[in-house]
Amino acid sequence: MSNVIDVIEQWGTDARWRHASDEAREAALIQAGFEPGLRAALLGEDAGLLESLVGATHNICCLVNHPEEEEEEREDEEHEDEEESEDDAEDKE
C-alpha cells in the first residue's frame, strides 16, 4: 500500500505528472509492478475502487480546535456571571 501512496504523492507534487498522458502514467505503473485493477483505479481516478483495493474503508475527519475561541467564551461567561452577582448584590440592598 505504501507504494500506492508514494505514487499518489509523487503525482500530486511533481508538475510533470500533472500534465502527463495516461499512457505515460500507465507505463510508469506497469514498470513499478502494479496489478491491472490498481492501475485502472489510479488512472481512472476512481477513489472508491482505490480505497477498497488498498483496504482504506473508513473516512476520517480531523478537526482543529482553536483554544482562543474557548478562552474568549469562558471570559464572556465569567463576565456575565460577575454582572449577575453584582445585580444580585444590588437587589439585596
Side-chain angles (χ1 to χ4, degrees), residues 40-76:
L42 284 166
L43 294 171
E45 299 176 8
D46 187 342
L49 177 59
L50 187 58
E51 286 176 356
S52 68
L53 289 172
V54 297
T57 57
H58 301 288
N59 290 326
I60 297 174
C61 179
C62 297
L63 302 174
V64 177
N65 188 15
H66 296 285
E68 311 86 46
E69 292 175 3
E70 285 183 11
E71 290 175 9
E72 289 174 9
E73 289 175 8
R74 288 183 191 150
E75 288 174 6
D76 290 343

Side-chain angles (χ1 to χ4, degrees), residues 10-93:
Q10 183 180 15
W11 285 3
T13 58
D14 189 342
R16 73 182 173 106
W17 287 111
R18 176 180 296 174
H19 302 293
S21 66
D22 285 343
E23 292 81 19
R25 289 182 185 158
E26 186 169 19
L29 294 173
I30 290 170
Q31 184 178 0
F34 285 98
E35 298 293 323
L38 193 52
R39 289 195 313 261
L42 284 166
L43 294 171
E45 299 176 8
D46 187 342
L49 177 59
L50 187 58
E51 286 176 356
S52 68
L53 289 172
V54 297
T57 57
H58 301 288
N59 290 326
I60 297 174
C61 179
C62 297
L63 302 174
V64 177
N65 188 15
H66 296 285
E68 311 86 46
E69 292 175 3
E70 285 183 11
E71 290 175 9
E72 289 174 9
E73 289 175 8
R74 288 183 191 150
E75 288 174 6
D76 290 343
E77 288 174 4
E78 289 174 5
H79 184 67
E80 289 173 4
D81 291 342
E82 289 173 5
E83 288 177 358
E84 288 176 9
S85 297
E86 289 174 5
D87 290 342
D88 290 342
E90 288 175 6
D91 290 341
K92 289 182 182 178
E93 292 176 2

